[in-house]
């Protein structure tokens, strides 16, 4: 683990200068401050006093680091975290990792320096040494929405397996036989879980998807559109596409409409993650809704238990299928 003298050597300054930077002393120039922070980032340095402050100094603040602030799911999740924290008398300080490990670590350091009482993190795909150090040190830390294999950190997440099974059954009942998946990255636990649940659900319905029907994106709009284009250009295009999140669904809808295809007659559409605007477009979009408000509430309660040195078991909450008209070829919406 890096020490303060290692940071000083890397930045080309004295140990005393590093200490002044850590204490936000006004005599330090902006250039020196930047060099010291760059050295801390390069060495994954966690100041001892800062790390201890998570356990010893109560500030009534919690840190929250989300994956992508442009994603409505994370925006709703942040709101629910803030609401529950306020009810408990805490303030939330938030950072947007933008799905980048370096940005995540930047906010971890910043929040530690601000002496937050605990951290809620929606972790990026990459396990960084900094997050690993905090987990192994037993710092008050809770993961939200995503897990990291091999790391013993309590997590609050949803389980969409049953809802995905129900969705595939619904698609099958509506006459769809060529069903494709535009999934999230396999490096994220959520991407892997949704892909596995989808392929298992197809098997349960007596269906299989050829390899070209299962494609991986990045949970963002652009990849949703590009994957949709690839799927629709196949010699046998799918008659239904299940998107791994709401932003990828948006990209898929843009491509479908650009081709002047009709939903669901030409291609059915369903999404993991339900958002308000899904109800208001034509046709309304079938989606799997995560219990976002309950996830945020549980995450705050779990983190406060860790802050108070109480047992804090992980929580897995079921998602649910919301059937609308975007997959229906026959029958009446239930």
């Amino acid at each position: 683990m890096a020490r303060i003298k290692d940071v000083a050597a890397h930045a080309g300054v004295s140990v005393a200068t590093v200490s002044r930077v850590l204490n936000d002393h006004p005599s330090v120039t902006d250039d020196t401050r930047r060099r010291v922070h760059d050295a801390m980032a390069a060495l994954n340095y966690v100041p001892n006093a800062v790390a201890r402050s998570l356990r010893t100094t109560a500030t009534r603040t919690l840190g929250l680091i989300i994956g992508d602030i442009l994603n409505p799911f994370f925006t709703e999740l942040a709101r629910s975290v803030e609401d529950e924290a306020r009810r408990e008398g805490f303030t939330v300080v938030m950072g947007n990792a933008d799905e980048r490990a370096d940005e995540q670590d930047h906010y971890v350091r910043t929040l530690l320096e601000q002496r937050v009482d605990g951290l809620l993190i929606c972790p990026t795909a990459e396990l960084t040494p900094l997050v690993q150090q905090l987990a192994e040190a037993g710092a008050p830390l809770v993961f939200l929405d995503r897990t990291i294999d091999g790391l013993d950190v309590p997590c609050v997440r949803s389980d969409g397996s049953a809802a995905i099974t129900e969705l595939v059954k619904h698609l099958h009942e509506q006459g769809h036989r060529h069903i494709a998946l535009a999934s999230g990255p396999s490096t994220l636990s959520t991407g892997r879980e949704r892909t596995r649940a989808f392929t298992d659900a197809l098997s349960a319905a007596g269906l299989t998807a050829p390899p070209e029907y299962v494609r991986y994106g990045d949970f963002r709009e652009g990849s949703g559109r590009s994957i949709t284009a690839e799927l629709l250009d196949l010699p046998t295009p799918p008659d239904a596409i299940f998107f791994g999140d709401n932003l990828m669904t948006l990209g898929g809808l843009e491509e479908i409409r650009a081709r002047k295809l009709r939903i669901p007659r030409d291609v059915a559409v369903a999404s993991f993650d339900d958002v308000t605007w899904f109800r208001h477009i034509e046709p309304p979009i079938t989606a799997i809704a995560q219990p976002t408000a309950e996830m945020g509430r549980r995450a705050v309660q779990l983190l406060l238990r860790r802050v108070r040195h109480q047992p804090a078991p992980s929580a897995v909450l079921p998602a649910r299928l919301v059937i609308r008209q975007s997959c229906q070829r026959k029958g009446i919406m239930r």
Side-chain angles (χ1 to χ4, degrees), residues 8-9 14 45 60 84 100 105 124 147 150 209 230 244 250 278 285 289 313:
S14 67
Y45 173 71
R60 308 294 294 181
E84 182 64 18
R100 291 170 47 190
D105 281 5
T124 59
T147 60
E230 293 167 1
L250 177 60
F278 279 171
I285 303 298

Side-chain angles (χ1 to χ4, degrees), residues 148-160:
I148 294 181
D149 291 341
L151 213 55
D152 186 18
V153 175
C155 178
V156 177
R157 64 181 183 86
S158 72
D159 181 1

Side-chain angles (χ1 to χ4, degrees), residues 5-267:
K5 69 178 184 179
D6 300 320
V7 174
H10 194 283
V13 300
S14 67
V15 170
T17 297
V18 176
S19 295
R20 283 194 287 271
V21 170
L22 292 173
N23 290 300
D24 203 24
H25 197 281
S27 66
V28 182
T29 66
D30 289 341
D31 179 66
T32 298
R33 194 180 305 277
R34 177 186 56 77
R35 281 162 42 211
V36 170
H37 280 290
D38 286 348
M40 290 169 61
L43 298 173
N44 291 300
Y45 173 71
V46 182
N48 289 337
V50 171
R52 284 197 303 270
S53 74
L54 273 172
R55 295 187 295 271
T56 62
T57 305
T59 60
R60 308 294 294 181
T61 59
L62 303 176
L64 169 65
I65 302 173
I66 60 173
D68 180 5
I69 200 169
L70 294 178
N71 189 321
F73 166 73
F74 286 118
T75 306
E76 293 176 11
L77 195 60
R79 175 60 183 269
S80 64
V81 166
E82 186 177 43
D83 288 347
E84 182 64 18
R86 186 184 299 114
R87 279 191 288 269
E88 292 287 344
F90 283 76
T91 298
V92 175
V93 183
M94 188 183 75
N96 172 37
D98 200 30
E99 300 294 7
R100 291 170 47 190
D102 60 333
E103 283 296 305
Q104 172 188 272
D105 281 5
H106 163 72
Y107 281 113
V108 168
R109 290 190 186 88
T110 300
L111 292 168
L112 290 176
E113 290 169 2
Q114 292 183 13
R115 307 300 201 265
V116 296
D117 295 336
L119 284 172
L120 288 170
I121 302 179
C122 304
T124 59
E126 178 185 349
L127 172 58
T128 65
L130 176 58
V131 172
Q132 185 169 2
Q133 288 172 20
L134 287 175
E136 292 174 350
L141 173 66
V142 169
F143 286 160
L144 190 48
D145 180 49
R146 303 165 177 174
T147 60
I148 294 181
D149 291 341
L151 213 55
D152 186 18
V153 175
C155 178
V156 177
R157 64 181 183 86
S158 72
D159 181 1
S161 300
I164 291 173
T165 298
E166 189 178 353
L167 169 64
V168 170
K169 180 180 178 182
H170 171 64
L171 289 168
H172 188 268
E173 290 173 347
Q174 294 300 315
H176 302 291
R177 297 296 181 267
H178 303 288
I179 306 171
L181 171 66
S183 185
S186 60
T187 51
L188 284 175
S189 61
T190 45
R192 293 192 301 272
E193 289 163 3
R194 292 168 198 176
T195 301
R196 183 169 57 250
F198 172 76
T199 55
D200 288 348
L202 283 182
S203 297
L207 301 173
T208 58
E212 61 268 25
Y213 272 23
V214 179
R215 299 182 180 243
Y216 296 93
D218 60 5
F219 282 148
R220 295 192 174 188
E221 184 178 338
S223 70
R225 180 159 190 173
S226 62
I227 288 174
T228 302
E230 293 167 1
L231 290 170
L232 295 177
D233 286 339
L234 289 172
T236 304
D239 53 24
I241 304 174
F242 173 40
F243 292 92
D245 85 329
N246 61 82
L247 289 183
M248 292 183 71
T249 304
L250 177 60
L253 291 174
E254 290 174 346
E255 182 63 24
I256 290 168
R257 298 204 188 282
R259 294 176 182 235
K260 302 188 185 307
L261 299 176
R262 295 164 297 177
I263 302 172
R265 181 171 298 177
D266 297 318
V267 59

